[in-house]
Amino acid sequence: MTVDDLPFKRVAKGKVRENFDLGDELLIVATDRISAFDVILPNGIPGKGVLLTQISLWWFNQARSIMPIHLPENHDERVRELLKDYPHLIERSMIVKKLKPMPIEAIMRGYLAGSGWKEYKSTGKLFEFDLPKGMRESEKLPEPLFTPTTKAAEGHDMPITNAECEKLLGSEIFSQIKTAAQKLYAMGAKKADECGLILADTKFEFGTDDSGKVYLIDEVLTPDSSRYWPKQGYEAGKPQPSFDKQYVRDWLETLDWNKQYPGPELPAEVIANTIKCYSTALETLMGK
């Protein structure tokens, strides 16, 4: 749930990951913490940090063909050497370049689900985008849509329009990350389809170096940042079973909880089923 035994200075502690200073680089360690509705829950999902890190590394290596990534050369060997005295952390750790994160999350949506479905039911639109009338929950969109959000340090991320995102980042950077997000989503959706999965939506994060070069950072196409559904049994018009933390969200929705800190403790059954969701996603995608 936390990382306290390393000799490096901790410089950030997020909902799931903890960052440590290595000089010109950072060490990112993924814990087993789990958050829902922007609240870190009191108990975690054993092994989740390992699963998230390994699936991210697998996707990062494929994303290299689309854009620069934040991993250095010889990444795996360097992690093993750096953490040789902390072997329990090796499989949940990444060494990354020090970059300046962009203040937005790049959301790609291919299906009408989650907050997008709620928005459509309320307004008949998907945020700024007009959609056909009469669409059903979980239905495939006419085309994948880029729906960025702000990146809140605390509280909820808020949707912004493409125009607002462009104003925030500048036209050149905006064009780069929108194009990259579209290509990355297409890559993920194609691979998921080949493995019997549907990639309903996902988020990407980007950063820049001192020269302004754009990199893919954070995590990629993991069950924490993406909504995966099984193709078998898929049917629009209802929620779909998910290989992500939607299982936890759905359980929390049955409680009388105001979605404020502190969150409720997860029972053993919910933890076991969530582990199964994460591990099934990894096994299905990576063939492990």
Side-chain angles (χ1 to χ4, degrees), residues 37 118 248-256 259:
F37 306 109
K118 290 180 181 178
V248 172
R249 293 192 199 99
D250 291 344
W251 177 78
L252 291 168
E253 291 278 22
T254 68
L255 307 180
D256 182 19
K259 298 176 183 173

Side-chain angles (χ1 to χ4, degrees), residues 191-209:
K191 178 61 178 177
D193 182 67
E194 292 168 353
C195 297
L197 296 176
I198 293 170
L199 177 60
D201 53 51
T202 190
K203 77 172 179 71
F204 302 108
E205 297 201 37
F206 300 96
T208 53
D209 62 16

Side-chain angles (χ1 to χ4, degrees), residues 17-285:
R17 291 167 180 79
E18 302 192 13
N19 298 353
F20 298 86
D21 194 348
L22 300 178
D24 292 336
E25 297 169 318
L26 293 172
L27 172 68
I28 300 180
V29 183
T31 70
D32 291 338
R33 295 193 293 267
I34 189 166
S35 68
F37 306 109
D38 294 311
V39 175
I40 299 171
L41 302 180
N43 55 337
I45 307 298
K48 171 175 170 279
V50 172
L51 292 173
L52 289 182
T53 300
Q54 294 307 307
I55 202 167
S56 242
L57 290 171
W58 185 75
W59 280 117
F60 268 121
N61 282 326
Q62 296 176 75
R64 288 180 191 272
S65 64
I66 293 174
M67 70 179 305
I69 61 172
H70 69 169
L71 301 178
E73 297 298 321
N74 303 317
H75 173 270
D76 295 354
E77 295 84 352
R78 290 194 55 204
V79 170
R80 286 195 292 270
E81 176 61 26
L82 181 72
L83 297 176
K84 61 186 177 183
D85 295 330
Y86 308 90
H88 61 293
L89 297 180
I90 289 173
E91 291 192 325
R92 60 174 73 239
S93 298
M94 288 192 291
I95 296 173
V96 304
K97 297 177 172 71
K98 273 188 179 176
L99 301 166
K100 181 181 179 182
M102 294 185 189
I104 62 103
E105 291 188 345
I107 314 291
M108 287 297 304
R109 300 177 186 271
Y111 290 75
L112 198 51
S115 60
W117 169 240
K118 290 180 181 178
E119 175 76 9
Y120 179 77
K121 283 197 298 181
S122 174
T123 67
K125 300 173 70 172
L126 180 58
F127 306 112
E128 66 182 294
F129 297 102
D130 293 318
L131 292 181
K133 292 182 179 180
M135 288 193 71
R136 297 166 293 164
E137 183 175 8
S138 306
E139 189 169 349
K140 188 174 184 178
L141 298 173
E143 62 178 348
L145 295 175
F146 179 69
T147 60
T149 69
T150 59
K151 193 159 63 176
E154 295 182 5
H156 298 285
D157 301 330
M158 298 300 294
I160 55 175
T161 65
N162 277 241
E164 289 168 335
C165 187
E166 184 174 8
K167 184 176 180 181
L168 187 63
L169 301 178
S171 296
E172 184 178 344
I173 296 293
F174 170 76
S175 177
Q176 283 187 56
I177 69 158
K178 182 176 180 178
T179 298
Q182 290 168 332
K183 289 181 177 179
L184 291 164
Y185 176 77
M187 176 189 76
K190 182 176 184 291
K191 178 61 178 177
D193 182 67
E194 292 168 353
C195 297
L197 296 176
I198 293 170
L199 177 60
D201 53 51
T202 190
K203 77 172 179 71
F204 302 108
E205 297 201 37
F206 300 96
T208 53
D209 62 16
D210 291 340
S211 71
K213 185 177 179 180
V214 177
Y215 293 79
L216 180 64
I217 67 169
D218 194 55
E219 60 181 317
V220 188
L221 295 163
T222 71
D224 255 18
S225 64
S226 314
R227 199 185 310 265
Y228 287 106
W229 299 330
K231 276 173 62 177
Q232 185 174 5
Y234 164 75
E235 184 182 348
K238 61 181 182 181
Q240 310 298 311
S242 294
F243 294 122
D244 56 31
K245 64 181 179 181
Q246 188 62 40
Y247 180 86
V248 172
R249 293 192 199 99
D250 291 344
W251 177 78
L252 291 168
E253 291 278 22
T254 68
L255 307 180
D256 182 19
W257 175 49
N258 64 1
K259 298 176 183 173
Q260 302 294 320
Y261 180 84
E265 189 154 318
L266 299 174
E269 180 184 4
V270 172
I271 290 174
N273 283 331
T274 305
I275 291 172
K276 186 177 179 181
C277 287
Y278 279 90
S279 59
T280 300
L282 181 140
E283 292 162 3
T284 305
L285 286 165

